[in-house]
Amino acid sequence: MDAGFFRRWLTTAALAVEREADRLTELDSAIGDADHGSNMRRGTAAVTAALDKEGPATPGAVLLVAGRTLVSTVGGAAGPLFGTLLRRTGKALGDAERVGGEELRQALATGVEAVAQLGGAAPGDKTMLDALRPAVEALPDAAAAARAAARGAEATVPLRARKGRASYLGERSEGHMDPGAASATLLFEALAEVTADA
């Protein structure tokens, strides 16, 4: 997987967020600020523009540009969390011009740990980690990772939120999917789509 593959991955993810933005906002309106979809749409569109402008030459550089852009353009917690995921993953990949599936899995695992530290969350807290952790564990099979992320996001529905804005709602947070887990699923579904086309 080279820089072109990583650019296609993030561009495909941006298109998915554009398509699903209203659903993400709907999920967020139940247990958050009702702005997750619009924030992610703005951020991922900015990522696409930044990648077109800067043309990073390695997979790691693609992720560093994307992560930096998300931090600066996405409001709320989602920007720092998704930005940290991509930046730490990019840093772990280093300057390699091509990376294999196992290298990506290890790098993403580093990114997920950084997200857990930043947000102070663990699996079962009803956050994006509930989708991220199982997805990364299922790699390097991208299709299996997408399915694992979707199952992880679905599993947040009955949970009571223990972190983030939704945690203030107590039992009222139960019965709703975590919006961050839903958008994390889109990232892995995009990876599966681009991998299938490669």
Side-chain angles (χ1 to χ4, degrees), residues 21-61:
D22 290 346
R23 180 177 75 94
L24 294 174
T25 291
E26 202 175 295
L27 292 173
D28 197 36
S29 67
I31 58 173
D33 292 332
D35 60 359
H36 185 67
S38 55
N39 280 343
M40 290 298 289
R41 176 194 275 147
R42 182 174 64 249
T44 54
V47 166
T48 299
L51 292 175
D52 283 346
K53 184 180 171 192
E54 296 189 33
T58 64

PDB file of all heavy atoms in Angstrom, residues 21-61:
ATOM      1  N   ALA A  21     -23.565  12.068   6.983  1.00  0.00           N
ATOM      2  CA  ALA A  21     -23.467  13.174   7.952  1.00  0.00           C
ATOM      3  C   ALA A  21     -24.768  13.396   8.714  1.00  0.00           C
ATOM      4  O   ALA A  21     -24.755  13.611   9.932  1.00  0.00           O
ATOM      5  CB  ALA A  21     -23.033  14.456   7.240  1.00  0.00           C
ATOM      6  N   ASP A  22     -25.889  13.328   8.017  1.00  0.00           N
ATOM      7  CA  ASP A  22     -27.174  13.566   8.699  1.00  0.00           C
ATOM      8  C   ASP A  22     -27.454  12.486   9.737  1.00  0.00           C
ATOM      9  O   ASP A  22     -27.951  12.781  10.827  1.00  0.00           O
ATOM     10  CB  ASP A  22     -28.323  13.629   7.682  1.00  0.00           C
ATOM     11  CG  ASP A  22     -28.259  14.884   6.815  1.00  0.00           C
ATOM     12  OD1 ASP A  22     -27.503  15.811   7.173  1.00  0.00           O
ATOM     13  OD2 ASP A  22     -28.957  14.929   5.784  1.00  0.00           O
ATOM     14  N   ARG A  23     -27.098  11.235   9.420  1.00  0.00           N
ATOM     15  CA  ARG A  23     -27.303  10.145  10.379  1.00  0.00           C
ATOM     16  C   ARG A  23     -26.386  10.330  11.596  1.00  0.00           C
ATOM     17  O   ARG A  23     -26.804  10.122  12.739  1.00  0.00           O
ATOM     18  CB  ARG A  23     -27.025   8.785   9.721  1.00  0.00           C
ATOM     19  CG  ARG A  23     -27.233   7.594  10.675  1.00  0.00           C
ATOM     20  CD  ARG A  23     -27.017   6.273   9.967  1.00  0.00           C
ATOM     21  NE  ARG A  23     -25.617   5.985   9.722  1.00  0.00           N
ATOM     22  CZ  ARG A  23     -24.847   5.252  10.543  1.00  0.00           C
ATOM     23  NH1 ARG A  23     -25.348   4.719  11.639  1.00  0.00           N
ATOM     24  NH2 ARG A  23     -23.583   5.024  10.247  1.00  0.00           N
ATOM     25  N   LEU A  24     -25.137  10.737  11.351  1.00  0.00           N
ATOM     26  CA  LEU A  24     -24.206  10.968  12.462  1.00  0.00           C
ATOM     27  C   LEU A  24     -24.718  12.080  13.376  1.00  0.00           C
ATOM     28  O   LEU A  24     -24.628  11.990  14.606  1.00  0.00           O
ATOM     29  CB  LEU A  24     -22.813  11.325  11.932  1.00  0.00           C
ATOM     30  CG  LEU A  24     -22.073  10.225  11.166  1.00  0.00           C
ATOM     31  CD1 LEU A  24     -20.774  10.771  10.582  1.00  0.00           C
ATOM     32  CD2 LEU A  24     -21.797   9.010  12.046  1.00  0.00           C
ATOM     33  N   THR A  25     -25.276  13.127  12.782  1.00  0.00           N
ATOM     34  CA  THR A  25     -25.826  14.233  13.571  1.00  0.00           C
ATOM     35  C   THR A  25     -27.056  13.785  14.349  1.00  0.00           C
ATOM     36  O   THR A  25     -27.258  14.177  15.501  1.00  0.00           O
ATOM     37  CB  THR A  25     -26.136  15.432  12.654  1.00  0.00           C
ATOM     38  OG1 THR A  25     -24.891  15.974  12.199  1.00  0.00           O
ATOM     39  CG2 THR A  25     -26.918  16.508  13.376  1.00  0.00           C
ATOM     40  N   GLU A  26     -27.862  12.942  13.710  1.00  0.00           N
ATOM     41  CA  GLU A  26     -29.050  12.400  14.385  1.00  0.00           C
ATOM     42  C   GLU A  26     -28.635  11.584  15.621  1.00  0.00           C
ATOM     43  O   GLU A  26     -29.217  11.726  16.701  1.00  0.00           O
ATOM     44  CB  GLU A  26     -29.808  11.502  13.398  1.00  0.00           C
ATOM     45  CG  GLU A  26     -31.262  11.300  13.718  1.00  0.00           C
ATOM     46  CD  GLU A  26     -31.939  10.504  12.600  1.00  0.00           C
ATOM     47  OE1 GLU A  26     -32.032  11.015  11.466  1.00  0.00           O
ATOM     48  OE2 GLU A  26     -32.330   9.375  12.888  1.00  0.00           O
ATOM     49  N   LEU A  27     -27.613  10.739  15.451  1.00  0.00           N
ATOM     50  CA  LEU A  27     -27.112   9.961  16.587  1.00  0.00           C
ATOM     51  C   LEU A  27     -26.617  10.905  17.683  1.00  0.00           C
ATOM     52  O   LEU A  27     -26.870  10.682  18.870  1.00  0.00           O
ATOM     53  CB  LEU A  27     -25.961   9.047  16.144  1.00  0.00           C
ATOM     54  CG  LEU A  27     -26.306   7.883  15.208  1.00  0.00           C
ATOM     55  CD1 LEU A  27     -25.033   7.194  14.727  1.00  0.00           C
ATOM     56  CD2 LEU A  27     -27.222   6.874  15.906  1.00  0.00           C
ATOM     57  N   ASP A  28     -25.920  11.960  17.279  1.00  0.00           N
ATOM     58  CA  ASP A  28     -25.347  12.895  18.240  1.00  0.00           C
ATOM     59  C   ASP A  28     -26.415  13.752  18.905  1.00  0.00           C
ATOM     60  O   ASP A  28     -26.251  14.184  20.047  1.00  0.00           O
ATOM     61  CB  ASP A  28     -24.310  13.784  17.537  1.00  0.00           C
ATOM     62  CG  ASP A  28     -23.390  14.488  18.513  1.00  0.00           C
ATOM     63  OD1 ASP A  28     -23.052  13.886  19.551  1.00  0.00           O
ATOM     64  OD2 ASP A  28     -23.004  15.637  18.240  1.00  0.00           O
ATOM     65  N   SER A  29     -27.525  13.984  18.209  1.00  0.00           N
ATOM     66  CA  SER A  29     -28.571  14.820  18.813  1.00  0.00           C
ATOM     67  C   SER A  29     -29.225  14.104  19.992  1.00  0.00           C
ATOM     68  O   SER A  29     -29.724  14.737  20.911  1.00  0.00           O
ATOM     69  CB  SER A  29     -29.626  15.214  17.769  1.00  0.00           C
ATOM     70  OG  SER A  29     -30.336  14.079  17.348  1.00  0.00           O
ATOM     71  N   ALA A  30     -29.176  12.759  19.986  1.00  0.00           N
ATOM     72  CA  ALA A  30     -29.773  11.991  21.090  1.00  0.00           C
ATOM     73  C   ALA A  30     -28.912  12.045  22.346  1.00  0.00           C
ATOM     74  O   ALA A  30     -29.438  12.087  23.462  1.00  0.00           O
ATOM     75  CB  ALA A  30     -29.983  10.539  20.662  1.00  0.00           C
ATOM     76  N   ILE A  31     -27.573  12.068  22.186  1.00  0.00           N
ATOM     77  CA  ILE A  31     -26.711  11.958  23.369  1.00  0.00           C
ATOM     78  C   ILE A  31     -25.545  12.952  23.367  1.00  0.00           C
ATOM     79  O   ILE A  31     -24.642  12.845  24.187  1.00  0.00           O
ATOM     80  CB  ILE A  31     -26.161  10.515  23.542  1.00  0.00           C
ATOM     81  CG1 ILE A  31     -25.377  10.052  22.305  1.00  0.00           C
ATOM     82  CG2 ILE A  31     -27.275   9.549  23.856  1.00  0.00           C
ATOM     83  CD1 ILE A  31     -24.674   8.704  22.504  1.00  0.00           C
ATOM     84  N   GLY A  32     -25.566  13.925  22.461  1.00  0.00           N
ATOM     85  CA  GLY A  32     -24.447  14.875  22.391  1.00  0.00           C
ATOM     86  C   GLY A  32     -24.908  16.262  22.017  1.00  0.00           C
ATOM     87  O   GLY A  32     -25.999  16.701  22.400  1.00  0.00           O
ATOM     88  N   ASP A  33     -24.084  16.950  21.220  1.00  0.00           N
ATOM     89  CA  ASP A  33     -24.353  18.348  20.845  1.00  0.00           C
ATOM     90  C   ASP A  33     -25.048  18.498  19.496  1.00  0.00           C
ATOM     91  O   ASP A  33     -25.225  19.617  19.026  1.00  0.00           O
ATOM     92  CB  ASP A  33     -23.036  19.130  20.776  1.00  0.00           C
ATOM     93  CG  ASP A  33     -22.394  19.292  22.142  1.00  0.00           C
ATOM     94  OD1 ASP A  33     -23.143  19.302  23.135  1.00  0.00           O
ATOM     95  OD2 ASP A  33     -21.161  19.403  22.204  1.00  0.00           O
ATOM     96  N   ALA A  34     -25.386  17.391  18.857  1.00  0.00           N
ATOM     97  CA  ALA A  34     -26.047  17.416  17.537  1.00  0.00           C
ATOM     98  C   ALA A  34     -25.191  18.083  16.465  1.00  0.00           C
ATOM     99  O   ALA A  34     -25.707  18.701  15.543  1.00  0.00           O
ATOM    100  CB  ALA A  34     -27.417  18.106  17.629  1.00  0.00           C
ATOM    101  N   ASP A  35     -23.852  17.956  16.583  1.00  0.00           N
ATOM    102  CA  ASP A  35     -22.988  18.579  15.577  1.00  0.00           C
ATOM    103  C   ASP A  35     -21.924  17.625  15.033  1.00  0.00           C
ATOM    104  O   ASP A  35     -21.059  18.029  14.267  1.00  0.00           O
ATOM    105  CB  ASP A  35     -22.308  19.839  16.151  1.00  0.00           C
ATOM    106  CG  ASP A  35     -21.432  19.538  17.372  1.00  0.00           C
ATOM    107  OD1 ASP A  35     -21.356  18.352  17.786  1.00  0.00           O
ATOM    108  OD2 ASP A  35     -20.848  20.485  17.923  1.00  0.00           O
ATOM    109  N   HIS A  36     -21.972  16.354  15.421  1.00  0.00           N
ATOM    110  CA  HIS A  36     -20.906  15.422  15.014  1.00  0.00           C
ATOM    111  C   HIS A  36     -20.863  15.251  13.496  1.00  0.00           C
ATOM    112  O   HIS A  36     -19.786  15.262  12.901  1.00  0.00           O
ATOM    113  CB  HIS A  36     -21.103  14.060  15.700  1.00  0.00           C
ATOM    114  CG  HIS A  36     -19.994  13.102  15.438  1.00  0.00           C
ATOM    115  ND1 HIS A  36     -18.707  13.294  15.904  1.00  0.00           N
ATOM    116  CD2 HIS A  36     -19.951  11.935  14.729  1.00  0.00           C
ATOM    117  CE1 HIS A  36     -17.940  12.298  15.502  1.00  0.00           C
ATOM    118  NE2 HIS A  36     -18.658  11.466  14.794  1.00  0.00           N
ATOM    119  N   GLY A  37     -22.013  15.110  12.879  1.00  0.00           N
ATOM    120  CA  GLY A  37     -22.051  14.932  11.425  1.00  0.00           C
ATOM    121  C   GLY A  37     -21.506  16.135  10.680  1.00  0.00           C
ATOM    122  O   GLY A  37     -20.678  15.997   9.775  1.00  0.00           O
ATOM    123  N   SER A  38     -21.954  17.333  11.076  1.00  0.00           N
ATOM    124  CA  SER A  38     -21.484  18.548  10.381  1.00  0.00           C
ATOM    125  C   SER A  38     -19.993  18.777  10.646  1.00  0.00           C
ATOM    126  O   SER A  38     -19.254  19.186   9.746  1.00  0.00           O
ATOM    127  CB  SER A  38     -22.314  19.766  10.799  1.00  0.00           C
ATOM    128  OG  SER A  38     -22.299  19.922  12.204  1.00  0.00           O
ATOM    129  N   ASN A  39     -19.550  18.498  11.873  1.00  0.00           N
ATOM    130  CA  ASN A  39     -18.123  18.654  12.189  1.00  0.00           C
ATOM    131  C   ASN A  39     -17.259  17.691  11.377  1.00  0.00           C
ATOM    132  O   ASN A  39     -16.226  18.081  10.816  1.00  0.00           O
ATOM    133  CB  ASN A  39     -17.882  18.399  13.684  1.00  0.00           C
ATOM    134  CG  ASN A  39     -18.238  19.590  14.541  1.00  0.00           C
ATOM    135  OD1 ASN A  39     -18.362  20.705  14.055  1.00  0.00           O
ATOM    136  ND2 ASN A  39     -18.426  19.349  15.828  1.00  0.00           N
ATOM    137  N   MET A  40     -17.687  16.427  11.319  1.00  0.00           N
ATOM    138  CA  MET A  40     -16.909  15.425  10.580  1.00  0.00           C
ATOM    139  C   MET A  40     -16.943  15.697   9.075  1.00  0.00           C
ATOM    140  O   MET A  40     -15.943  15.469   8.386  1.00  0.00           O
ATOM    141  CB  MET A  40     -17.424  14.018  10.892  1.00  0.00           C
ATOM    142  CG  MET A  40     -17.116  13.532  12.304  1.00  0.00           C
ATOM    143  SD  MET A  40     -15.338  13.419  12.663  1.00  0.00           S
ATOM    144  CE  MET A  40     -14.883  12.004  11.642  1.00  0.00           C
ATOM    145  N   ARG A  41     -18.073  16.177   8.587  1.00  0.00           N
ATOM    146  CA  ARG A  41     -18.171  16.523   7.160  1.00  0.00           C
ATOM    147  C   ARG A  41     -17.176  17.638   6.825  1.00  0.00           C
ATOM    148  O   ARG A  41     -16.441  17.555   5.839  1.00  0.00           O
ATOM    149  CB  ARG A  41     -19.600  16.957   6.827  1.00  0.00           C
ATOM    150  CG  ARG A  41     -19.767  17.426   5.380  1.00  0.00           C
ATOM    151  CD  ARG A  41     -21.085  18.155   5.219  1.00  0.00           C
ATOM    152  NE  ARG A  41     -22.186  17.254   4.979  1.00  0.00           N
ATOM    153  CZ  ARG A  41     -23.441  17.459   5.405  1.00  0.00           C
ATOM    154  NH1 ARG A  41     -23.729  18.530   6.106  1.00  0.00           N
ATOM    155  NH2 ARG A  41     -24.397  16.611   5.123  1.00  0.00           N
ATOM    156  N   ARG A  42     -17.147  18.659   7.653  1.00  0.00           N
ATOM    157  CA  ARG A  42     -16.215  19.776   7.427  1.00  0.00           C
ATOM    158  C   ARG A  42     -14.772  19.287   7.500  1.00  0.00           C
ATOM    159  O   ARG A  42     -13.940  19.638   6.659  1.00  0.00           O
ATOM    160  CB  ARG A  42     -16.467  20.869   8.473  1.00  0.00           C
ATOM    161  CG  ARG A  42     -15.582  22.091   8.292  1.00  0.00           C
ATOM    162  CD  ARG A  42     -15.954  23.223   9.239  1.00  0.00           C
ATOM    163  NE  ARG A  42     -15.750  22.856  10.635  1.00  0.00           N
ATOM    164  CZ  ARG A  42     -16.742  22.676  11.515  1.00  0.00           C
ATOM    165  NH1 ARG A  42     -17.995  22.837  11.154  1.00  0.00           N
ATOM    166  NH2 ARG A  42     -16.476  22.326  12.769  1.00  0.00           N
ATOM    167  N   GLY A  43     -14.469  18.473   8.499  1.00  0.00           N
ATOM    168  CA  GLY A  43     -13.106  17.991   8.691  1.00  0.00           C
ATOM    169  C   GLY A  43     -12.619  17.092   7.578  1.00  0.00           C
ATOM    170  O   GLY A  43     -11.491  17.253   7.087  1.00  0.00           O
ATOM    171  N   THR A  44     -13.446  16.141   7.166  1.00  0.00           N
ATOM    172  CA  THR A  44     -12.994  15.203   6.134  1.00  0.00           C
ATOM    173  C   THR A  44     -12.919  15.878   4.761  1.00  0.00           C
ATOM    174  O   THR A  44     -12.060  15.530   3.952  1.00  0.00           O
ATOM    175  CB  THR A  44     -13.889  13.945   6.076  1.00  0.00           C
ATOM    176  OG1 THR A  44     -15.259  14.328   5.914  1.00  0.00           O
ATOM    177  CG2 THR A  44     -13.755  13.111   7.351  1.00  0.00           C
ATOM    178  N   ALA A  45     -13.782  16.866   4.521  1.00  0.00           N
ATOM    179  CA  ALA A  45     -13.670  17.638   3.272  1.00  0.00           C
ATOM    180  C   ALA A  45     -12.355  18.423   3.272  1.00  0.00           C
ATOM    181  O   ALA A  45     -11.668  18.519   2.241  1.00  0.00           O
ATOM    182  CB  ALA A  45     -14.856  18.583   3.120  1.00  0.00           C
ATOM    183  N   ALA A  46     -11.984  18.951   4.435  1.00  0.00           N
ATOM    184  CA  ALA A  46     -10.718  19.683   4.553  1.00  0.00           C
ATOM    185  C   ALA A  46      -9.531  18.752   4.353  1.00  0.00           C
ATOM    186  O   ALA A  46      -8.510  19.147   3.776  1.00  0.00           O
ATOM    187  CB  ALA A  46     -10.634  20.368   5.920  1.00  0.00           C
ATOM    188  N   VAL A  47      -9.661  17.506   4.817  1.00  0.00           N
ATOM    189  CA  VAL A  47      -8.597  16.518   4.607  1.00  0.00           C
ATOM    190  C   VAL A  47      -8.381  16.279   3.114  1.00  0.00           C
ATOM    191  O   VAL A  47      -7.249  16.289   2.621  1.00  0.00           O
ATOM    192  CB  VAL A  47      -8.920  15.187   5.327  1.00  0.00           C
ATOM    193  CG1 VAL A  47      -8.016  14.059   4.834  1.00  0.00           C
ATOM    194  CG2 VAL A  47      -8.780  15.349   6.834  1.00  0.00           C
ATOM    195  N   THR A  48      -9.472  16.061   2.380  1.00  0.00           N
ATOM    196  CA  THR A  48      -9.385  15.836   0.932  1.00  0.00           C
ATOM    197  C   THR A  48      -8.675  17.013   0.252  1.00  0.00           C
ATOM    198  O   THR A  48      -7.790  16.824  -0.584  1.00  0.00           O
ATOM    199  CB  THR A  48     -10.788  15.630   0.328  1.00  0.00           C
ATOM    200  OG1 THR A  48     -11.383  14.477   0.942  1.00  0.00           O
ATOM    201  CG2 THR A  48     -10.729  15.404  -1.168  1.00  0.00           C
ATOM    202  N   ALA A  49      -9.061  18.233   0.634  1.00  0.00           N
ATOM    203  CA  ALA A  49      -8.447  19.437   0.045  1.00  0.00           C
ATOM    204  C   ALA A  49      -6.962  19.519   0.396  1.00  0.00           C
ATOM    205  O   ALA A  49      -6.127  19.843  -0.459  1.00  0.00           O
ATOM    206  CB  ALA A  49      -9.182  20.684   0.536  1.00  0.00           C
ATOM    207  N   ALA A  50      -6.617  19.218   1.653  1.00  0.00           N
ATOM    208  CA  ALA A  50      -5.212  19.295   2.089  1.00  0.00           C
ATOM    209  C   ALA A  50      -4.356  18.260   1.366  1.00  0.00           C
ATOM    210  O   ALA A  50      -3.212  18.543   0.976  1.00  0.00           O
ATOM    211  CB  ALA A  50      -5.118  19.094   3.600  1.00  0.00           C
ATOM    212  N   LEU A  51      -4.895  17.063   1.163  1.00  0.00           N
ATOM    213  CA  LEU A  51      -4.132  16.018   0.462  1.00  0.00           C
ATOM    214  C   LEU A  51      -3.917  16.400  -1.001  1.00  0.00           C
ATOM    215  O   LEU A  51      -2.844  16.156  -1.560  1.00  0.00           O
ATOM    216  CB  LEU A  51      -4.854  14.668   0.570  1.00  0.00           C
ATOM    217  CG  LEU A  51      -4.905  14.060   1.981  1.00  0.00           C
ATOM    218  CD1 LEU A  51      -5.740  12.790   1.976  1.00  0.00           C
ATOM    219  CD2 LEU A  51      -3.509  13.771   2.516  1.00  0.00           C
ATOM    220  N   ASP A  52      -4.932  17.018  -1.614  1.00  0.00           N
ATOM    221  CA  ASP A  52      -4.787  17.481  -3.000  1.00  0.00           C
ATOM    222  C   ASP A  52      -3.712  18.564  -3.093  1.00  0.00           C
ATOM    223  O   ASP A  52      -2.909  18.589  -4.022  1.00  0.00           O
ATOM    224  CB  ASP A  52      -6.116  18.050  -3.515  1.00  0.00           C
ATOM    225  CG  ASP A  52      -7.099  16.948  -3.883  1.00  0.00           C
ATOM    226  OD1 ASP A  52      -6.669  15.771  -3.989  1.00  0.00           O
ATOM    227  OD2 ASP A  52      -8.298  17.243  -4.043  1.00  0.00           O
ATOM    228  N   LYS A  53      -3.702  19.452  -2.127  1.00  0.00           N
ATOM    229  CA  LYS A  53      -2.779  20.592  -2.145  1.00  0.00           C
ATOM    230  C   LYS A  53      -1.341  20.166  -1.833  1.00  0.00           C
ATOM    231  O   LYS A  53      -0.400  20.584  -2.500  1.00  0.00           O
ATOM    232  CB  LYS A  53      -3.251  21.633  -1.127  1.00  0.00           C
ATOM    233  CG  LYS A  53      -2.436  22.910  -1.127  1.00  0.00           C
ATOM    234  CD  LYS A  53      -2.984  23.874  -0.090  1.00  0.00           C
ATOM    235  CE  LYS A  53      -2.058  25.057   0.078  1.00  0.00           C
ATOM    236  NZ  LYS A  53      -2.416  25.855   1.267  1.00  0.00           N
ATOM    237  N   GLU A  54      -1.190  19.320  -0.802  1.00  0.00           N
ATOM    238  CA  GLU A  54       0.161  18.997  -0.325  1.00  0.00           C
ATOM    239  C   GLU A  54       0.778  17.784  -1.016  1.00  0.00           C
ATOM    240  O   GLU A  54       1.997  17.657  -1.061  1.00  0.00           O
ATOM    241  CB  GLU A  54       0.143  18.790   1.196  1.00  0.00           C
ATOM    242  CG  GLU A  54      -0.239  20.057   1.946  1.00  0.00           C
ATOM    243  CD  GLU A  54      -0.039  19.926   3.448  1.00  0.00           C
ATOM    244  OE1 GLU A  54       0.893  19.229   3.880  1.00  0.00           O
ATOM    245  OE2 GLU A  54      -0.841  20.528   4.184  1.00  0.00           O
ATOM    246  N   GLY A  55      -0.052  16.869  -1.523  1.00  0.00           N
ATOM    247  CA  GLY A  55       0.459  15.689  -2.216  1.00  0.00           C
ATOM    248  C   GLY A  55       1.510  14.908  -1.453  1.00  0.00           C
ATOM    249  O   GLY A  55       2.606  14.665  -1.974  1.00  0.00           O
ATOM    250  N   PRO A  56       1.233  14.513  -0.188  1.00  0.00           N
ATOM    251  CA  PRO A  56       2.234  13.783   0.594  1.00  0.00           C
ATOM    252  C   PRO A  56       2.678  12.496  -0.108  1.00  0.00           C
ATOM    253  O   PRO A  56       1.870  11.809  -0.729  1.00  0.00           O
ATOM    254  CB  PRO A  56       1.518  13.474   1.917  1.00  0.00           C
ATOM    255  CG  PRO A  56       0.068  13.668   1.631  1.00  0.00           C
ATOM    256  CD  PRO A  56      -0.046  14.641   0.529  1.00  0.00           C
ATOM    257  N   ALA A  57       3.976  12.185   0.011  1.00  0.00           N
ATOM    258  CA  ALA A  57       4.581  11.139  -0.826  1.00  0.00           C
ATOM    259  C   ALA A  57       4.647   9.757  -0.186  1.00  0.00           C
ATOM    260  O   ALA A  57       4.987   8.792  -0.850  1.00  0.00           O
ATOM    261  CB  ALA A  57       5.984  11.579  -1.236  1.00  0.00           C
ATOM    262  N   THR A  58       4.352   9.666   1.107  1.00  0.00           N
ATOM    263  CA  THR A  58       4.419   8.354   1.777  1.00  0.00           C
ATOM    264  C   THR A  58       3.119   8.117   2.551  1.00  0.00           C
ATOM    265  O   THR A  58       2.414   9.077   2.887  1.00  0.00           O
ATOM    266  CB  THR A  58       5.592   8.285   2.770  1.00  0.00           C
ATOM    267  OG1 THR A  58       5.356   9.255   3.818  1.00  0.00           O
ATOM    268  CG2 THR A  58       6.930   8.552   2.092  1.00  0.00           C
ATOM    269  N   PRO A  59       2.793   6.843   2.848  1.00  0.00           N
ATOM    270  CA  PRO A  59       1.591   6.560   3.644  1.00  0.00           C
ATOM    271  C   PRO A  59       1.587   7.316   4.977  1.00  0.00           C
ATOM    272  O   PRO A  59       0.570   7.901   5.361  1.00  0.00           O
ATOM    273  CB  PRO A  59       1.668   5.047   3.870  1.00  0.00           C
ATOM    274  CG  PRO A  59       2.381   4.530   2.655  1.00  0.00           C
ATOM    275  CD  PRO A  59       3.411   5.591   2.362  1.00  0.00           C
ATOM    276  N   GLY A  60       2.752   7.320   5.662  1.00  0.00           N
ATOM    277  CA  GLY A  60       2.829   8.028   6.939  1.00  0.00           C
ATOM    278  C   GLY A  60       2.540   9.508   6.792  1.00  0.00           C
ATOM    279  O   GLY A  60       1.815  10.102   7.599  1.00  0.00           O
ATOM    280  N   ALA A  61       3.088  10.113   5.741  1.00  0.00           N
ATOM    281  CA  ALA A  61       2.876  11.542   5.510  1.00  0.00           C
ATOM    282  C   ALA A  61       1.413  11.845   5.208  1.00  0.00           C
ATOM    283  O   ALA A  61       0.877  12.867   5.652  1.00  0.00           O
ATOM    284  CB  ALA A  61       3.771  12.025   4.367  1.00  0.00           C
TER     285      ALA A  61
END
